[in-house]
Amino acid sequence: MPLFLFVTFLLSHVTFSQQRAALNWGKIPFELEKQYDINDSIAVRVDQFKFYVQALNEDKQHHIHLIDAAEQESWQWTSPIAPMQIGIQAAIQTAGVFIGELDPINGMYWAWNTGFISVKCVGEVIHTKKETSQKFEYHLGGYQAPFACIKAIPGSGTQLNCDLSLWFKAILHTETQDWLIMQPSEESLAIFELFMASLHYDQ
Amino acid sequence: MTNKVLFLILLSVLFISATWNWQQTLQKWPAPIQIKTVYASKASFELGRALFYDPILSVDSSISCASCHLSFTAFTHVDHPTSHGIADRIGKRNAPGLFNLAWRQNFHWDGGVTSLTGQAINPLTHPDEMGETLQHILLKLNRHPNYAAFFKRIYKQKQIESWMLLDALQQFTIALVSKDSYYDKVMQGKASFSIQQAKGFALFEQHCNHCHTAPLFYSNRFEINGLVIDTSDLGRYEITGLPADREKFRVPTLRNISYSFPYMHDGRFKSLKEVLRHYGQKLQLNDPQQKDLIAFLKTLTDSTFLTNPRFQYHTLTP
């Protein structure tokens, strides 16, 4: 009986809200496999784009959600009202939990370099004038310092906006360009930071 | 009030029954780090065991986990410097023995795998090992009447999902415990060392035990043991990217060491003699001392474990 009361007490203190992710290219909705001009000589096409969000609630439950640009249903989910982060807490990553959103079938788990990928983005950068292109593959993740790709999303709200044009413009601005990033490193963290800067909540 | 008392009694009964087994059999052993899941049972162990021996898990049904991890040799890939996978492609590292895994903080020579449950994804999907995809394995298992029924009985779900496959494999590997070597019998006062073994043991405690720490004879640390460096494998550094971790490898167990030749992460030494020659140079151990150490290392062989029928080939019968 006391246990039962305690559980209902806990439950009554977790409030959920409907969350939405708005994936955009500038002011227009973003689409996979579509070519977007960055300037008059460079364009970008993204073929795969997914990332994990986790609500850091105190109820000890794993409120983890995978947003996949290819799955429209994944752009909406319910989550406790709590601070949100991109990526998954290290303690969960190392616990051997593979259920639901954490199913390795999602292609977000690193087998030979354990940990979950926080942000996966794959596509091509096209030099429109030269008619050449460069494939890119970003697997940004890992939970170990100093290259852990896990960060709190600043602010709060119910609509998380992600502007991929901001992200790619920033990437193309950086000096060293490593197009294949498949494990935690300084470069991976730098691209991840740029991704974080492309996110904001609607107030 | 009475409810509370009952609840406490129930809790302590559960606690005592859960710890009883470990306490009885593993005196002085530390608490395990990898924990059995709620699905631990005889049925899930037998399911994991059948999967471990079943080539259905590889892309061309040619190899099983047991192809590289043989029960009779403490689940190592004996006589292979590095392991073969499908199409005979050669892996990069020597397959370690599989036992006493519950006390490991992390797995593989570089510690890049942090849970025993997740470990199996590596061989299953690595192109040089079993070369499968989880999607396809699940498809095959879900179609297999025997497996479908066994999974359903244990995990109470219609469809087999990846976490169930990983859980089942782990039920088998976590149960592989080796603790009945001649050394253990000596420690329990049931046998005694020969003079040479005793000398070897003393040398071991002096020179080796701080890394290969008894009773597990490993430690959850990454160390450099003085091997000539081969830059194609930088060990722990490949996981952490930290300069201090370059060329560090995890400290392997020395239990059943007679069977895990060739030795080191790349299998560079064919015999214990070669291993001891290496350490002899680093630690100024002369020839007789090296021989004494080998005599001691041989007492770490656990033939009860090597021949345990519970761990051998098995298929499920409906």
Side-chain angles (χ1 to χ4, degrees):
Chain A
M1 193 64 177
L3 189 69
F4 171 72
L5 284 178
F6 184 58
V7 169
T8 30
F9 168 77
L10 269 187
L11 282 177
S12 64
H13 277 241
V14 182
T15 25
F16 287 83
S17 72
Q18 191 71 29
Q19 295 276 319
R20 216 178 87 78
L23 311 180
N24 293 313
W25 187 275
K27 294 206 159 53
I28 51 170
F30 163 79
E31 285 173 55
L32 286 176
E33 291 167 4
K34 188 170 158 183
Q35 190 165 321
Y36 294 101
D37 289 334
I38 297 269
N39 54 38
D40 60 3
S41 62
I42 294 182
V44 170
R45 194 194 70 240
V46 176
D47 301 327
Q48 225 193 92
F49 176 50
K50 5 187 191 182
F51 59 96
Y52 275 116
V53 291
Q54 183 182 5
L56 300 175
N57 201 42
E58 281 158 6
D59 62 353
K60 300 259 165 23
Q61 300 289 312
H62 305 162
H63 299 285
I64 296 163
H65 179 69
L66 180 63
I67 295 165
D68 184 345
E71 306 275 347
Q72 199 162 353
E73 318 83 79
S74 75
W75 305 351
Q76 279 196 29
W77 71 104
T78 45
S79 159
I81 299 175
M84 295 284 226
Q85 68 177 22
I86 300 294
I88 299 160
Q89 278 174 315
I92 301 171
Q93 298 210 23
T94 54
V97 185
F98 297 106
I99 216 160
E101 303 282 291
L102 298 178
D103 193 325
I105 271 184
N106 296 326
M108 295 294 276
Y109 183 72
W110 257 314
W112 285 91
N113 193 355
T114 303
F116 283 87
I117 295 167
S118 304
V119 183
K120 189 174 200 174
C121 188
V122 178
E124 254 179 15
V125 172
I126 301 138
H127 300 273
T128 44
K129 286 195 172 136
K130 287 188 267 175
E131 291 186 9
T132 58
S133 64
Q134 169 64 53
K135 281 203 164 62
F136 68 85
E137 191 152 356
Y138 296 141
H139 300 182
L140 315 174
Y143 57 89
Q144 290 197 54
F147 306 130
C149 290
I150 305 167
K151 277 226 153 71
I153 311 171
S156 62
T158 52
Q159 173 158 318
L160 177 63
N161 300 291
C162 172
D163 182 349
L164 281 98
S165 81
L166 267 183
W167 188 25
F168 278 94
K169 280 177 188 156
I171 290 174
L172 289 160
H173 248 96
T174 53
E175 302 249 307
T176 49
Q177 265 148 26
D178 197 348
W179 299 112
L180 297 178
I181 298 180
M182 323 273 246
Q183 58 178 30
S185 66
E186 226 166 290
E187 292 76 38
S188 121
L189 186 57
I191 304 281
F192 179 73
E193 304 266 12
L194 297 177
F195 172 74
M196 292 304 298
S198 75
L199 298 175
H200 73 95
Y201 274 110
D202 252 6
Q203 281 315 319
Chain B
M1 191 62 200
T2 41
N3 265 350
K4 218 170 177 177
V5 171
L6 268 176
F7 181 64
L8 281 176
I9 291 175
L10 185 69
L11 209 67
S12 24
V13 168
L14 277 174
F15 180 76
I16 291 167
S17 59
T19 49
W20 184 256
N21 204 13
W22 292 122
Q23 283 182 350
Q24 277 231 314
T25 51
L26 302 173
Q27 311 108 344
K28 284 203 301 182
W29 282 48
I33 297 170
Q34 308 290 321
I35 305 297
K36 291 191 183 177
T37 68
V38 292
Y39 299 100
S41 67
K42 187 167 184 318
S44 62
F45 169 84
E46 296 299 353
L47 174 60
R49 179 176 165 200
L51 287 165
F52 190 88
Y53 284 99
D54 196 336
I56 192 173
L57 299 185
S58 69
V59 65
D60 54 2
S61 294
S62 63
I63 69 166
S64 67
C65 306
S67 308
C68 297
H69 299 288
L70 275 78
S71 68
F72 302 104
T73 58
F75 294 95
T76 63
H77 201 186
V78 119
D79 214 14
H80 282 77
T82 57
S83 290
H84 294 195
I86 47 156
D88 234 18
R89 281 180 288 218
I90 308 280
K92 186 162 131 182
R93 293 184 183 148
N94 185 243
L98 304 184
F99 51 85
N100 303 345
L101 297 169
W103 291 268
R104 277 257 174 225
Q105 182 82 52
N106 41 39
F107 301 89
H108 289 193
W109 286 97
D110 54 20
V113 172
T114 47
S115 71
L116 186 55
T117 323
Q119 190 281 334
I121 299 171
N122 295 275
L124 293 173
T125 59
H126 191 65
D128 291 343
E129 298 201 359
M130 299 163 92
E132 254 294 14
T133 65
L134 285 171
Q135 282 90 335
H136 192 232
I137 296 171
L138 295 178
L139 197 74
K140 287 192 282 186
L141 292 175
N142 275 311
R143 276 197 203 132
H144 192 293
N146 241 351
Y147 279 121
F150 270 82
F151 271 101
K152 193 171 162 207
R153 209 171 300 156
I154 295 161
Y155 297 100
K156 315 277 182 240
Q157 274 194 37
K158 242 190 173 150
Q159 284 288 314
I160 305 171
E161 294 177 14
S162 359
W163 67 271
M164 303 175 200
L165 168 65
L166 298 172
D167 187 81
L169 280 166
Q170 184 248 207
Q171 299 294 349
F172 178 66
T173 50
I174 205 169
L176 301 170
V177 174
S178 174
K179 54 171 173 56
D180 196 25
S181 66
Y182 192 77
Y183 162 85
D184 296 295
K185 294 196 176 84
V186 173
M187 290 302 122
Q188 291 155 10
K190 293 181 196 155
S192 53
F193 282 141
S194 70
I195 293 172
Q196 190 180 32
Q197 289 164 346
K199 280 201 272 180
F201 182 42
L203 286 166
F204 185 85
E205 293 205 292
Q206 189 186 343
H207 296 288
C208 320
N209 192 64
H210 57 282
C211 286
H212 302 277
T213 310
L216 291 158
F217 291 91
Y218 63 72
S219 48
N220 285 307
R221 294 200 312 267
F222 300 88
E223 301 280 353
I224 294 177
N225 72 340
L227 295 176
V228 175
I229 285 130
D230 161 14
T231 48
S232 68
D233 193 346
L234 297 176
R236 186 65 178 156
Y237 174 79
E238 297 191 359
I239 298 303
T240 64
L242 299 174
D245 285 336
R246 274 177 79 99
E247 291 126 27
K248 279 193 182 167
F249 287 88
R250 66 99 170 265
V251 179
T253 182
L254 299 183
R255 283 185 177 269
N256 299 307
I257 193 69
S258 313
Y259 288 89
S260 73
F261 65 90
Y263 299 104
M264 305 299 162
H265 68 273
D266 51 4
R268 67 175 70 188
F269 296 136
K270 283 193 288 299
S271 63
L272 282 176
K273 224 166 127 182
E274 284 181 34
V275 173
L276 267 295
R277 208 176 294 143
H278 158 76
Y279 280 113
Q281 278 164 3
K282 303 281 154 196
L283 303 168
Q284 261 96 57
L285 298 166
N286 63 27
D287 206 43
Q289 287 175 316
Q290 294 177 24
K291 289 204 172 99
D292 294 346
L293 270 163
I294 292 176
F296 167 69
L297 291 177
K298 289 190 172 158
T299 70
L300 296 174
T301 299
D302 175 357
S303 43
T304 319
F305 176 71
L306 299 173
T307 55
N308 191 337
R310 266 185 75 224
F311 300 146
Q312 289 164 13
Y313 178 79
H314 171 68
T315 51
L316 295 172
T317 37

